[in-house]
Amino acid sequence: MLESRRFVIIGFFALVGIIYLLRLFYLQVLDESYSIESSSNSIKRVIEIPFRGQIYDRTGKLIVYNTPVYDLLVTPYKARVDDTLRFCQVLGIERRDFDSLMNAASAYSRVKPSLFLRQLSKEDFASIQDIMVDYSGFEFAKSSLRTYTAPTLANTLGYVSEITKGQLEKQEEPYYRQSDYIGQSGIEKIYENELRGKRGTKFVMQNVSGVYKGPWKGGELDTMAVAGANLYSGIDLEVQQYADSLMVNKVGSVVAIEPKTGQIISMVSAPTYDPNILASRYFSKNYAALARNPYKPLFNRPVMASYRPGSTFKLIQALIGLQEGVITPESGFTHANCPVGCHNHPATGTVALGVMHSCNPYFYNVFRRIIYKNNIQNTFKASAVGLDAWHDAISKFGIGQRLGIDLPSEYKGNLPNKKYYDRFYGEYRWKFSNIYSLSIGEGELLITPLKMANVAAIIANRGYFYTPHVIHGIGDGKKVNPEFLVRHDTGVESHNFDPVIEGMIGAVEGGTARRSRVEGITIAGKTGTSQNKRGDDHSIFIAFAPAENPKIAIAVFVENAGAGGSAAAPIANLIIEKYLTRKITNKALEERMFKADLMSKVILPGQKKPISADSLKKKLISPDSVKKKPVVKPATTPAPKKQ
């Protein structure tokens, strides 16, 4: 018994010894990482940052690409600068900048490299590369700068900037490091994981002075950086730039959609800015200037701004009334006992004429019939029950909810229901006389320009829509997000769209939008005038064309421009013609819209009157307004606070 225990103990220690020897053999012979660590004085591990994916328009034109640049890094404990004055002269910085940057780097880590100067061009790098060999502790790292082929789509594309401390701490996987760049808004943010690519690693040999001596082991352990996936958008760059030009000196939005796919053709937020000014070493200065601008060029109006839809909402009222059977295409109404006023127009004895002439009393009666299901009783309970049914039918058009576009911060708007009014009046203490303004798109309704462009697409498709989206393809295979292939039905049968579309065509041919009709193209449109507490009303127009085979649906909002036919309709119809024919026939109308300066009508919060146009222009930033600095600029890393 004792003898067997002795063999067990000996066997146990022998096994431990064998395991120890095998582990030692693995670490010293097989495991390359151990060899790399043990040779840290002569072998350096370099992280390769991949290029971000590029972005293309629907015709294959490049919108966003990368320009190679270099960042200068410093490792404080290795840094040796005997002649600080000469060093500063080489880099084009002040002595105080040098001290501040070195203090900031030391506060981060004395043994880890951190950013000293960012975004040196190839020319900058070439001019100082040889000189920097004399200064140990400094090294260059390849980087890239987002570059835009045209000064457009700033809010839609978004921007990239240095990752914040909060973002570093919250990241789910340890991918980003200090000074890395990350998409902060727009497409750059939504598709960050696809755009960022995959980091690479290479091992290089260097001498005691840090001078590069070639790849270690011929680079057999290196891994290549993989560039981010390219994105393919539905944007038509030519049409986008044309829409931008029409919205100069105006506040508002343009959203154009391809009805049969949901792809965004154009998206304008005005006033805007050149995206290149946030893709430079002057990011902090330019961002601060944009943030201070009272007209909020950083605010993405197509998906974030809220307006009352005005008369454009009458289209949905008509469709719900027809689907519910409370009206027919031949229904007509008088103006008697109607609390909403009417424009001076011929009789509206049909749905088509009601739409064509945008008759307020007509749609007051339509809404009343929807709420009471043709049993006209102005009671509290009937109003509440009818409103909730109306709310459910309207919500199928995407109103009062987020559509799910691939852009951040989409505003869902407001579509009131029973609970909404109960909070203000008390349960069953309100009735139709409290809510009738909803009939003509006023009252508590709030929508975004994106939603009204989607309504135009729904009518163009006669009852359905696909989630609007900017990007329709990801990577070489142009993979499509499956969410954008789901068809959403409104529950309105296709034949009920006939009288509404007839009225929309009539509005452009001889009604409220007749002054901006386009020869040779049948456009179905509807004007709207959104009430505004400050200054003139907002001008709205939604449309699609060609009416017989729709290829574009559009919504245009121009703040403080008055009636829908005065500004929004001409801009929309010019964009439609540009997209469908690549030319403009009505040059006089085009010139008038180019020259229209409507920003001077805008009354900002806290003001009693508009700002003059000249004063406003001084507040807007442009790339030309940024003065050229020396070729090398200090990084924006702040100096640490004094204890």
Side-chain angles (χ1 to χ4, degrees):
M1 185 72 176
L2 193 60
E3 187 71 19
S4 61
R5 282 185 181 178
R6 187 169 64 119
F7 282 120
V8 169
I9 294 171
I10 293 173
F12 173 76
F13 282 105
L15 180 61
V16 171
I18 292 171
I19 292 173
Y20 177 79
L21 290 173
L22 289 173
R23 178 61 177 168
L24 192 62
F25 175 79
Y26 174 79
L27 290 174
Q28 293 188 346
V29 179
L30 300 180
D31 188 1
E32 297 287 358
S33 64
Y34 177 82
S35 176
I36 293 170
E37 292 296 330
S38 66
S39 305
S40 59
N41 290 328
S42 59
I43 300 171
K44 181 180 178 183
R45 185 173 181 233
V46 179
I47 301 297
E48 293 278 296
I49 304 297
F51 280 121
R52 288 180 74 83
Q54 301 182 140
I55 304 176
Y56 295 83
D57 87 336
R58 71 190 298 117
T59 66
K61 293 178 183 175
L62 193 60
I63 301 175
V64 187
Y65 63 99
N66 305 286
T67 298
V69 292
Y70 294 85
D71 293 336
L72 181 61
L73 310 179
V74 62
T75 305
Y77 95 95
K78 293 182 180 180
R80 297 291 183 272
V81 182
D82 296 327
D83 189 343
T84 306
L85 180 60
R86 178 174 178 269
F87 182 85
C88 291
Q89 289 175 340
V90 167
L91 296 180
I93 63 176
E94 300 291 334
R95 173 59 190 262
R96 62 177 179 273
D97 295 327
F98 172 84
D99 293 337
S100 175
L101 292 167
M102 288 299 296
N103 288 337
S106 297
Y108 167 66
S109 173
R110 288 193 52 78
V111 298
K112 294 181 180 180
S114 60
L115 188 65
F116 190 79
L117 295 177
R118 71 168 80 257
Q119 296 174 348
L120 279 68
S121 68
K122 290 186 290 185
E123 293 75 18
D124 296 339
F125 172 70
S127 67
I128 64 175
Q129 181 183 17
D130 293 338
I131 302 173
M132 291 304 297
V133 174
D134 298 334
Y135 301 98
S136 61
F138 291 88
E139 58 186 300
F140 290 101
K142 288 183 179 180
S143 184
S144 62
L145 187 70
R146 282 308 237 182
T147 309
Y148 304 85
T149 57
T152 187
L153 284 167
N155 297 90
T156 301
L157 296 171
Y159 62 88
V160 298
S161 68
E162 188 174 338
I163 191 169
T164 65
K165 182 179 179 181
Q167 288 172 322
L168 275 174
E169 294 172 350
K170 291 179 182 178
Q171 60 178 326
E172 296 179 359
E173 55 180 281
Y175 180 85
Y176 299 100
R177 305 169 302 165
Q178 188 188 40
S179 302
D180 280 351
Y181 276 64
I182 186 173
Q184 300 285 12
S185 69
I187 292 300
E188 296 280 9
K189 178 178 181 179
I190 295 297
Y191 292 95
E192 169 65 20
N193 290 345
E194 291 81 5
L195 286 168
R196 73 187 185 187
K198 185 178 180 181
R199 299 182 190 277
T201 305
K202 69 176 182 179
F203 301 95
V204 299
M205 295 185 295
Q206 59 185 19
N207 62 17
V208 292
S209 300
V211 177
Y212 175 73
K213 293 297 182 181
W216 187 61
K217 286 196 172 183
E220 65 180 64
L221 298 180
D222 296 352
T223 57
M224 296 291 292
V226 179
N230 293 332
L231 302 182
Y232 299 88
S233 75
I235 297 292
D236 187 314
L237 190 56
E238 182 180 349
V239 174
Q240 173 68 31
Q241 290 181 272
Y242 183 68
D244 279 333
S245 66
L246 290 170
M247 291 297 290
V248 169
N249 291 326
K250 302 169 186 69
V251 177
S253 305
V254 174
V255 180
I257 300 175
E258 184 177 63
K260 287 181 171 58
T261 64
Q263 293 179 23
I264 300 291
I265 296 169
S266 175
M267 181 172 280
V268 177
S269 179
T272 186
Y273 61 94
D274 185 343
N276 286 292
I277 68 176
L278 292 186
S280 73
R281 62 172 72 108
Y282 308 111
F283 172 86
S284 296
K285 173 184 176 180
N286 291 336
Y287 185 89
L290 290 169
R292 288 193 301 267
N293 188 297
Y295 290 86
K296 301 180 180 180
L298 292 171
F299 185 66
N300 193 10
R301 287 176 168 82
V303 298
M304 298 170 69
S306 59
Y307 305 89
R308 296 183 179 92
S311 293
T312 58
F313 194 73
K314 295 172 182 175
L315 301 174
I316 305 179
Q317 299 280 36
L319 290 167
I320 298 301
L322 289 165
Q323 180 63 31
E324 295 294 324
V326 297
I327 59 172
T328 68
E330 289 73 35
S331 293
F333 301 99
T334 68
H335 295 182
N337 301 318
C338 185
V340 292
C342 188
H343 317 295
N344 184 20
H345 59 72
T348 51
T350 65
V351 169
L353 288 172
V355 170
M356 177 179 176
H357 297 297
S358 195
C359 179
N360 288 339
Y362 189 94
F363 289 96
Y364 167 87
N365 283 288
V366 170
F367 183 52
R368 194 161 180 253
R369 287 198 172 195
I370 294 173
I371 295 299
Y372 294 121
K373 302 294 184 183
N374 271 349
N375 183 16
I376 307 300
Q377 298 179 21
N378 193 12
T379 63
F380 297 115
K381 190 168 184 178
S383 296
V385 173
L387 184 68
D388 271 352
W390 171 86
H391 174 279
D392 293 343
I394 298 293
S395 65
K396 293 180 181 179
F397 285 76
I399 308 299
Q401 58 188 288
R402 293 179 181 87
L403 292 174
I405 189 174
D406 48 352
L407 287 173
S409 305
E410 182 191 357
Y411 178 60
K412 70 177 184 179
N414 187 49
L415 179 62
N417 57 8
K418 174 184 177 295
K419 289 182 179 180
Y420 181 88
Y421 289 110
D422 284 348
R423 288 200 302 269
F424 290 96
Y425 299 104
E427 188 172 14
Y428 299 129
R429 296 179 63 85
W430 54 272
K431 50 188 177 179
F432 187 80
S433 57
N434 299 111
I435 64 172
Y436 68 80
S437 59
L438 297 176
S439 65
I440 56 173
E442 297 294 343
E444 294 75 25
L445 272 171
L446 289 176
I447 51 86
T448 62
L450 173 68
K451 286 182 174 60
M452 290 315 297
N454 192 56
V455 168
I458 289 171
I459 300 173
N461 291 334
R462 294 175 178 266
Y464 68 89
F465 70 95
Y466 292 96
T467 300
H469 53 283
V470 180
I471 302 302
H472 68 78
I474 303 172
D476 294 337
K478 297 186 179 180
K479 180 181 176 182
V480 180
N481 186 331
E483 294 178 6
F484 300 148
L485 300 177
V486 177
R487 172 170 160 160
H488 304 279
D489 287 292
T490 61
V492 178
E493 296 175 23
S494 61
H495 66 85
N496 287 322
F497 288 84
D498 292 336
V500 172
I501 294 174
E502 180 186 345
M504 293 175 71
I505 295 172
V508 176
E509 296 294 327
T512 54
R514 62 187 179 278
R515 294 179 182 178
S516 59
R517 63 190 297 270
V518 178
E519 293 294 336
I521 301 175
T522 304
I523 298 175
K526 181 72 187 76
T527 56
T529 305
S530 177
Q531 293 180 3
N532 176 36
K533 293 181 180 180
R534 293 191 302 270
D536 294 344
D537 292 336
H538 303 319
S539 177
I540 306 175
F541 185 68
I542 70 171
F544 61 88
E548 60 277 7
N549 181 26
K551 296 180 180 178
I552 180 174
I554 191 169
V556 176
F557 286 63
V558 185
E559 295 186 15
N560 302 97
S566 62
I571 290 172
N573 290 345
L574 286 168
I575 293 171
I576 287 172
E577 184 179 19
K578 185 70 171 179
Y579 179 69
L580 295 177
T581 69
R582 298 292 160 173
K583 62 182 181 180
I584 298 297
T585 54
N586 193 339
K587 293 294 183 181
L589 179 63
E590 179 185 56
E591 188 65 19
R592 180 162 64 86
M593 288 299 103
F594 280 155
K595 291 181 177 180
D597 187 349
L598 300 173
M599 293 187 77
S600 58
K601 287 188 170 187
V602 178
I603 300 177
L604 294 170
Q607 295 180 329
K608 295 183 179 180
K609 61 181 181 178
I611 296 177
S612 68
D614 291 339
S615 174
L616 172 64
K617 290 172 185 175
K618 292 177 183 178
K619 296 177 182 291
L620 297 177
I621 188 170
S622 69
D624 296 334
S625 68
V626 180
K627 294 182 179 179
K628 295 292 183 181
K629 300 291 183 182
V631 286
V632 180
K633 168 75 176 177
T636 56
T637 308
K641 295 180 179 179
K642 293 183 179 180
Q643 300 296 321

